C-alpha cells in the first residue's frame, strides 16, 4: 500500500479489525499494494502501465474491478446486503 494521504492501519485496517472482533461475519476487505492503470490508456515513460498514488484505489472500484475470493464483485455484494 503506497497511500501517502491516509494511513491504512489507524483507519480502514482498524475498522475492519473492530468489525470482525464484534462478530460481524459479512465483512470484506480488499487491499492493493499499488494502483496501476488497467485501461491501457496511460503509461509511464517506459511504456509500463501508469502507477497512481495508492489513495486512488477507488479507481478499481469505480471500474468494477474489485471482487472477493468467491468472485463476487463489490456491486453484487453490496446489492445483496439487507438491513436487519
Amino acid at each position: 500500500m503506497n497511500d501517502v494521504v491516509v494511513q491504512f492501519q489507524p483507519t480502514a485496517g482498524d475498522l475492519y479489525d473492530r468489525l470482525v472482533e464484534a462478530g460481524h461475519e459479512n465483512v470484506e476487505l480488499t487491499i492493493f499494494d499499488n494502483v496501476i492503470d488497467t485501461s491501457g490508456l496511460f503509461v509511464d515513460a517506459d511504456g509500463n502501465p501508469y502507477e497512481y498514488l495508492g489513495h486512488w484505489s477507488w479507481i478499481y472500484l469505480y471500474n468494477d474491478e474489485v471482487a472477493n475470493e468467491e468472485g463476487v464483485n463489490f456491486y453484487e455484494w453490496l446489492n445483496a446486503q439487507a438491513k436487519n
Side-chain angles (χ1 to χ4, degrees):
M1 293 173 283
N2 62 355
D3 190 339
V4 297
V5 178
V6 177
Q7 293 180 353
F8 173 75
Q9 198 51 47
T11 56
D14 283 353
L15 175 59
Y16 175 82
D17 293 342
R18 285 188 298 240
L19 289 170
V20 171
E21 288 170 8
H24 295 277
E25 297 177 2
N26 193 13
V27 181
E28 300 282 345
L29 177 65
T30 303
I31 302 169
F32 301 102
D33 291 330
N34 57 10
V35 181
I36 60 169
D37 178 71
T38 58
S39 71
L41 297 175
F42 304 100
V43 296
D44 65 16
D46 297 324
N48 298 312
Y50 182 79
E51 183 172 340
Y52 300 97
L53 291 175
H55 195 68
W56 286 43
S57 61
W58 58 266
I59 291 173
Y60 293 136
L61 184 65
Y62 180 79
N63 290 330
D64 198 17
E65 298 175 336
V66 177
N68 64 16
E69 292 176 351
E70 291 80 31
V72 178
N73 75 31
F74 171 77
Y75 296 106
E76 293 170 331
W77 176 85
L78 184 61
N79 188 50
Q81 304 311 301
K83 184 177 179 180
N84 292 332

